[in-house]
Every structure is written in structure tokens, then in C-alpha cells.
Amino acid sequence: MIEEAKIRITPHLYDLFVQAYANEGNVQRTLGLVKHMQMNGLEPTSRTYFNLLKLYFINNDFKNMSSIVDMMNEKGVELTVHHYYIVMRMCLKTHRVRELFQIFDLMKFRSVKSLPDTRIYSMMITACGATKEAERALDLYREMTTRPIEPQESDQMTLRSLIYACSKRADYRQKAWQFALEYQQRGYPVNVIMPHLLYICALSGDVTHARFFFLKMCTDSAVYPGELEFQYLMRCYSLWFSGAKKEKNGTESSANVLRGDIGDDVRAAFLSKINFETHISAPEVPPFLPVLQLNKAQIIEEARAIMLYLQTFRPHVITPNIVCSYLNVALNGKQKTTFRHWFAETTVPQIDPATSSIPDAAYIGKVGKRIDNSNIHSSSGETNIPSSSNRNNLHELIDPRFSTKVTRNRHIYETALQGAYACLTPPNRDISFAEALYAEREYWKRSSEEYSAFTDSQREESDRMAAKYLINAYARTENFRPAVEILRDTVSKLDWTFEDLTTLHNKAHQCEVDAVLKAISWVVRVVKERKASRLSSLALTPLI
């Protein structure tokens, strides 16, 4: 008689299945298996707890992840570097920077076993980048490589984190390029950091080098530009105007272009094999203009050509973030009529204008003539689209190739309101575009899932920014009564500061309208008293 073989189920076998379910993010099956494990007299292992932490990381559940850590402490299960790492990744993912540094400090002083490794130092340096604390990032780098116990060597991940952290601050961007050169000199794969280098150019408005890095990415299928890279390129175009200057020969260029020895080293290390004219003719490359350096009109022209390319060949890449950066190109370039056209061509409201009493703000107010797309390589700029006083005819002027539109969100409304304010330079005093945008945004607030998901502070900041732009628009056109009405209606909900109301104050002072000046003083005083009351309540809370 052959006896049935019995398989002994070990904690290791359970952990393999727990890991599989956790990697899928399947909460029910993972917890069910752990419960079954305990019913069979087996206690969860250190590996089991790691998989539970990973489960909640995948599901963005910080609360339950914290409960697992508490459970480990109660049961005397020592947290390893791997446990800390997944918890810290969750803190970074959910923007809990204070908790992230608390855990980091705990690791350093708890025991030699839990000393942070290179992965964790790299994560902390990335966190410093997110908060624009480049000095702190460099301090961590020095600490990592010189600490008395088990100093760590920087690796590929560390250098990438340092490039990112230093790129976030204008006064540290040269340091970011130096780390990029060190990365290349160590023989690490350069294509991996191409998006980082494009990002540095985008933050500084260095269009000249951004175009080269973008072209280089277009020739490598592993890093072919995606949504983020096109957004960086559009952002670079928009920020170019902040560094624009006139050269001696009368042409326009940007003061933000990487120059000097560091510029020579960067070009030699990363761009020496790029032939601009050859690359821009390749089929996988978007339609760049055939010039090495762009002027103001060409920046506008090329940005539009790139957006038309996305509309035609890569519509799935078009997102609200890309569109917002695109609109900022026209806004920062002071192309008011162009801005109105681009806004109408690329965005739609959440509402249905056919069935709603709220009109589509894009078609309110003054508009211009059709934009000529017959030759994207011309240098026409704003002069090819003269303004007219016709109303509600923009439907007929939109280029039919712009068929992919994004639904307006918080950032697009803020950009559009800022654009509406910029459009009110004399002799234009038509406030209707700004008013229509604000009314449409108010409707969006009541029906938007995005807005309902905001925290109280996000909601207050967004509402205050929108109201501020409309108040500024009223101030510019000397419509003081509606500006003051908005202030009175919102003073109980929004934390206004004097800086928010500077434009209104200056215009009222210039026009000698004392009633407006008194209203501003009253609003600022009410908000200060409310803030003081909040602080008092917080101070008393532990005593109640």
C-alpha cells in the first residue's frame, strides 16, 4: 500500500504566494493567505511583512502601511533596510517629506544594521530636489561618501538624483551639468539621462541645447520622446522669453544658453555626433525649423509646428500639461491674439455649451483672423494674425487639423485667466473673456472630480489664484466695483494677502479711489485676524 505523500507547507512557500498576490496589488487574496498562514500555526516572517508593505505601496495606502510598521514593532520584528526603503518610497510618492526625513534620521541612529544604503541616500537626494533644497542634497552626498561607518560609493542612481536635485535651482544648474559629465565619464549609459538633460534645459529656457538633446532622443527608440519630453520642450520655449535679449547684429537670442568651458564640455560629451541638418530631416523627428538658433517669431512658429505634429501623428501624447505649457509660449511671448487662437484650438470646457447656459469662454470677446499654416518654416509671428473686433466667429477660424482637445483643468484655467489679463493692454478694455473664464471655472468647480479631490489648502490656493487674475483684470480696466465685490464675497473663504492685491491697490492709488484702498485694508485685516485666531486654537488644542 502506497501512502499518500504529504507536502509540508513552510513559511517560505507561503511567502512566495503572498509575494505573487502582493505584486498584483490584490489585497483580499494577500490578506487571506496571511490569515491562512496564521491559522496553520505559522507566524509571518520578515519577508511576509515586506510583501504586505509592498501591497499597500502598490495600492497607495499609507494608513495601512503604517499599521503594518506598528504591528512589526509590537511583535518585535526588526525592520531591515528593505522595509525602510519601501516605506520611504511611499513617503516620497505621497509627498510626505517630513515623515521621510524622520525615518531617515531614525535609520541612521537606530543601529549599524539599519544604516541607510546608497539607494536610500539617492532617494533622499531626490526628495531634496522636490523641495528645491540643493544644499541639503549636496550635504547628504558628502555624508554618504565620508561617514565613519561603512561609507558608500556613489553610483548611477546617486548621480541621476544629484543631477535632478541641482537642476531645480538656477544657482546650482552648473553643478547639475558637472554631475552629468561625471556620469558620462564613468561610462554609464548616456541615453538614460537624456530626459534629465532636456529637463535642465527646460527649466532654464535653453532652447538651443534642448533641441539638440531632443533630436538625440529621437534617434534612440529606447528613449524616444514621450509626454514628459514634449512637455519639457514646450516649457523650454515658454521660458526662453525670460532670457531673450538683442544681440549686436540685431537678432534675438536667449541669455540662458549654456556657455563657457562647461558648455564646451557638455557639447563635446553629449552632442558631438549630432548633425543638426541631417537629424531634422529624419522621418521620426518633429518639424524643427532648419536653423540652429531661434528668434522670438521662430519660437512661436516652431511651438505651433510641434503641436500640429502631435495632433497629426501622436494625438495620444497630448495632455493638459503639454497644452498648458504650449499656451504659456504665446503668453510669455506676449502674442495676445495667438494665445486666444491656441486656447480655442486645443481646449474644451467640461460643460456642453449646446445644452448649458454657461457659454464656452474661448469664443467670448475679441478674436483674430485665421492663422496661416501654409508654411510652418516662415518667420511671420504675430504680424500674420492681425486682430479684429469680430465676436463669436472663432469657430470658423480654427484650423481643422486641431481635432484633439483636452478638457480644461485647474492649471489651464489659471493660465487662461492670466492670458486674459495680459490681453487687456490699451486700447483693448474688453473684460468679457476674463469674466467668461471665471464663470466657466465656477461651473467646473461644482461638477469637477478633480476639484472635489483637492485638499482644503489646494482648493483655497486655486480659488484665490483665479479670483486674483480676474481682480487684476478689473483693476487694469479701472472696473473697481466688481473687483471689490469679489473681495467681499470671498473674504470669509480665501486667505488674501496684500501681495495678492498689489495690482488693484496700485491702480486704485493711481486713480485716487479711496473706497477701494479702504476695502483692501479691511480685507487684509480680516484675514490676519482669522489667521491669528487659527494659531491660537492650535496652541490650545493639546490642553483641551
Side-chain angles (χ1 to χ4, degrees):
M1 181 179 177
I2 301 174
E3 292 187 3
E4 184 180 350
K6 292 184 179 179
I7 300 174
R8 182 171 174 267
I9 302 178
T10 63
H12 176 69
L13 190 58
Y14 268 111
D15 282 337
L16 289 175
F17 283 99
V18 169
Q19 180 180 351
Y21 289 136
N23 287 340
E24 294 176 355
N26 193 320
V27 176
Q28 186 176 358
R29 289 197 171 188
T30 305
L31 296 183
L33 198 56
V34 173
K35 186 177 181 180
H36 191 273
M37 180 181 183
Q38 292 171 316
M39 287 171 62
N40 280 287
L42 299 173
E43 284 299 316
T45 66
S46 177
R47 185 176 177 183
T48 311
Y49 284 115
F50 174 80
N51 288 321
L52 288 171
L53 292 172
K54 190 173 184 181
L55 169 72
Y56 292 123
F57 173 81
I58 291 170
N59 285 282
N60 292 319
D61 191 340
F62 184 82
K63 183 179 179 181
N64 276 316
M65 179 179 264
S66 299
S67 69
I68 295 298
V69 173
D70 291 339
M71 190 185 301
M72 292 177 71
N73 288 326
E74 287 172 9
K75 292 183 177 292
V77 179
E78 185 177 1
L79 275 78
T80 67
V81 173
H82 301 295
H83 295 114
Y84 282 120
Y85 179 66
I86 194 75
V87 175
M88 293 171 79
R89 280 182 65 194
M90 185 65 164
C91 290
L92 187 61
K93 185 180 180 182
T94 54
H95 310 293
R96 289 177 165 86
V97 177
R98 183 174 61 85
E99 290 89 340
L100 181 66
F101 276 93
Q102 286 175 345
I103 296 170
F104 180 68
D105 290 337
L106 177 65
M107 289 184 72
K108 288 194 294 184
F109 301 112
R110 190 164 193 173
S111 70
V112 174
K113 280 186 180 181
S114 67
L115 282 175
D117 58 13
T118 305
R119 290 179 310 166
I120 289 176
Y121 271 105
S122 299
M123 187 194 308
M124 300 306 297
I125 290 169
T126 299
C128 291
T131 54
K132 297 184 179 181
E133 295 179 280
E135 301 96 335
R136 195 175 192 179
L138 294 175
D139 287 343
L140 286 169
Y141 176 53
R142 282 189 288 270
E143 176 187 301
M144 180 187 90
T145 54
T146 61
R147 69 186 188 190
I149 302 175
E150 297 180 10
Q152 305 287 294
E153 290 288 333
S154 61
D155 60 6
Q156 182 178 346
M157 188 187 303
T158 312
L159 289 174
R160 283 164 57 184
S161 297
L162 286 164
I163 293 168
Y164 168 73
C166 292
S167 71
K168 299 288 280 188
R169 284 266 298 277
D171 50 339
Y172 278 85
R173 281 188 195 131
Q174 186 157 321
K175 194 73 176 172
W177 287 116
Q178 290 171 353
F179 283 122
L181 289 169
E182 181 179 345
Y183 181 99
Q184 185 266 347
Q185 289 160 5
R186 289 198 193 183
Y188 294 136
V190 170
N191 64 348
V192 175
I193 62 166
M194 278 297 152
H196 294 73
L197 305 186
L198 177 63
Y199 181 64
I200 300 174
C201 294
L203 290 176
S204 58
D206 186 348
V207 169
T208 300
H209 287 93
R211 295 166 88 222
F212 273 101
F213 286 121
F214 199 92
L215 287 176
K216 194 170 179 67
M217 293 177 68
C218 287
T219 63
D220 188 342
S221 59
V223 289
Y224 189 83
E227 173 194 330
L228 272 178
E229 287 69 42
F230 276 100
Q231 184 186 340
Y232 294 160
L233 186 62
M234 287 296 174
R235 186 173 184 182
C236 194
Y237 289 141
S238 70
L239 291 179
W240 179 91
F241 293 98
S242 64
K245 65 174 185 177
K246 283 280 187 183
E247 299 290 354
K248 290 181 180 179
N249 60 5
T251 61
E252 287 178 291
S253 69
S254 175
N256 296 331
V257 175
L258 188 63
R259 305 179 191 279
D261 292 341
I262 188 74
D264 294 337
D265 291 341
V266 167
R267 286 185 287 275
F270 300 108
L271 306 173
S272 58
K273 296 180 182 179
I274 290 200
N275 183 308
F276 189 82
E277 292 185 1
T278 302
H279 278 72
I280 64 170
S281 61
E284 65 273 13
V285 174
F288 286 108
L289 296 174
V291 290
L292 291 177
Q293 288 190 322
L294 303 179
N295 61 30
K296 176 180 178 179
Q298 290 167 334
I299 290 284
I300 301 293
E301 194 79 31
E302 187 165 284
R304 181 169 176 78
I306 297 292
M307 182 56 77
L308 182 56
Y309 164 83
L310 293 179
Q311 289 278 341
T312 307
F313 298 106
R314 306 193 70 197
H316 61 282
V317 170
I318 299 173
T319 64
N321 287 338
I322 288 178
V323 168
C324 206
S325 297
Y326 175 62
L327 293 174
N328 272 310
V329 179
L331 180 59
N332 292 349
K334 296 179 171 57
Q335 306 291 291
K336 297 183 284 293
T337 308
T338 300
F339 177 84
R340 291 294 308 274
H341 277 277
W342 287 8
F343 179 70
E345 282 183 328
T346 56
T347 71
V348 291
Q350 193 174 71
I351 60 176
D352 180 2
T355 59
S356 172
S357 59
I358 304 292
D360 185 342
Y363 302 98
I364 301 295
K366 294 184 179 180
V367 295
K369 296 181 180 179
R370 177 187 287 279
I371 296 176
D372 181 10
N373 288 296
S374 59
N375 181 9
I376 61 170
H377 288 169
S378 71
S379 302
S380 56
E382 181 74 7
T383 55
N384 269 359
I385 42 177
S387 176
S388 78
S389 59
N390 298 328
R391 289 174 178 267
N392 304 321
N393 66 344
L394 198 50
H395 283 289
E396 302 171 4
L397 306 176
I398 299 303
D399 190 318
R401 289 175 291 181
F402 281 77
S403 56
T404 300
K405 301 175 186 287
V406 300
T407 303
R408 293 166 198 161
N409 64 4
R410 167 192 176 176
H411 299 296
I412 289 178
Y413 278 120
E414 287 178 7
T415 300
L417 282 162
Q418 189 177 359
Y421 168 74
C423 288
L424 290 171
T425 51
N428 179 27
R429 294 172 60 87
D430 184 359
I431 200 75
S432 56
F433 179 41
E435 289 178 322
L437 282 168
Y438 193 78
E440 187 183 293
R441 184 186 175 279
E442 288 294 298
Y443 183 93
W444 166 81
K445 282 168 53 177
R446 296 192 295 271
S447 55
S448 169
E449 291 182 7
E450 177 193 12
Y451 186 82
S452 62
F454 285 167
T455 63
D456 289 343
S457 60
Q458 288 174 326
R459 207 170 283 128
E460 191 276 339
E461 181 189 7
S462 179
D463 290 347
R464 183 164 45 84
M465 288 295 291
K468 172 185 170 182
Y469 287 130
L470 182 58
I471 287 172
N472 286 348
Y474 281 132
R476 177 166 277 185
T477 55
E478 299 177 14
N479 286 293
F480 296 115
R481 183 184 295 276
V484 172
E485 286 176 358
I486 291 175
L487 281 178
R488 286 175 176 162
D489 289 343
T490 60
V491 68
S492 63
K493 297 175 285 187
L494 304 181
D495 287 342
W496 291 107
T497 65
F498 182 77
E499 288 72 23
D500 292 328
L501 307 174
T502 301
T503 300
L504 179 62
H505 178 275
N506 292 345
K507 195 68 176 179
H509 187 271
Q510 177 187 336
C511 297
E512 298 181 351
V513 186
D514 291 338
V516 176
L517 299 175
K518 289 178 181 177
I520 292 172
S521 298
W522 172 75
V523 167
V524 172
R525 185 176 70 252
V526 168
V527 172
K528 281 184 178 179
E529 289 173 356
R530 182 168 69 236
K531 286 183 177 180
S533 177
R534 284 182 199 154
L535 290 172
S536 299
S537 299
L538 286 172
L540 290 171
T541 298
L543 304 177
I544 296 174

